[in-house]
Amino acid sequence: MELSDILALLDRFDASTAGSMKLRLGDLRLELNKAAAPAAMSPAAAVPAAATAPVPAAAAAETQPEGTTVKAPLVGTFYAASAPGEAPFVSVGDTVKKGQTLCVLEAMKMMSEVPAPADCVILEVLAKDGDLVGFDAPLFQIREL
């Protein structure tokens, strides 16, 4: 079982109503359980109280990224270009048309193009070439035209 298969399985389990799951494939054993008690969290993993304080509206507006985020429609490996050594599909500052390919995601040896949702300008590329991205992971920051 490939890492991408496991990550896809984790995403599906997380989205399901199942509370636990056990999987055995040969030597691979995987046990998933959503019912984790808060008391099981170690003190080192606890979030400091200061981190949970409300953020003033002005500060929150400053931290909000400009534009719209294009998210991954599936779990896979992010590729910015059609082949190694080729120019990327898009770069920061590029103006693209609706439907133009922004990147390719590879999942289980299948390549899926991620199209631009609208005519837009690329503000930021959030994933790195070759990164494994999860479902709904941010890939690009765009400004629609």
Side-chain angles (χ1 to χ4, degrees), residues 1 3 12 43-44 47 52 55 68-69 75 127 131:
M1 183 174 240
L3 177 60
R12 287 192 179 212
V47 177
T52 60
V55 178
T68 305
T69 303
V75 175
D131 278 356

Side-chain angles (χ1 to χ4, degrees), residues 114-127:
V114 176
D119 291 353
C120 60
V121 174
I122 305 298
L123 299 176
E124 189 175 359
V125 179
L126 302 169

Side-chain angles (χ1 to χ4, degrees), residues 89-90 94-98 100 102 116 118-122 145:
F89 291 108
V90 295
D94 286 356
T95 300
V96 299
K97 297 285 185 192
K98 180 179 181 176
Q100 183 177 335
L102 300 177
D119 291 353
C120 60
V121 174
I122 305 298
L145 299 176

Side-chain angles (χ1 to χ4, degrees), residues 60-112:
E62 291 173 12
T63 61
Q64 292 297 322
E66 178 187 346
T68 305
T69 303
V70 176
K71 297 181 179 181
L74 52 97
V75 175
T77 303
F78 174 89
Y79 292 111
S82 58
E86 294 289 320
F89 291 108
V90 295
S91 299
V92 173
D94 286 356
T95 300
V96 299
K97 297 285 185 192
K98 180 179 181 176
Q100 183 177 335
T101 301
L102 300 177
C103 67
V104 173
L105 294 178
E106 177 189 8
M108 299 177 64
K109 308 295 181 199
M110 296 292 295
M111 300 294 189
S112 298

Side-chain angles (χ1 to χ4, degrees), residues 12-80:
R12 287 192 179 212
F13 174 73
D14 190 40
S16 75
T17 58
S20 65
M21 181 181 116
K22 291 182 183 180
L23 174 70
R24 188 190 300 175
L25 293 170
D27 292 339
L28 174 72
R29 291 182 187 198
L30 181 65
E31 185 173 336
L32 305 174
N33 192 348
K34 288 184 185 176
M41 186 168 49
S42 70
V47 177
T52 60
V55 178
E62 291 173 12
T63 61
Q64 292 297 322
E66 178 187 346
T68 305
T69 303
V70 176
K71 297 181 179 181
L74 52 97
V75 175
T77 303
F78 174 89
Y79 292 111

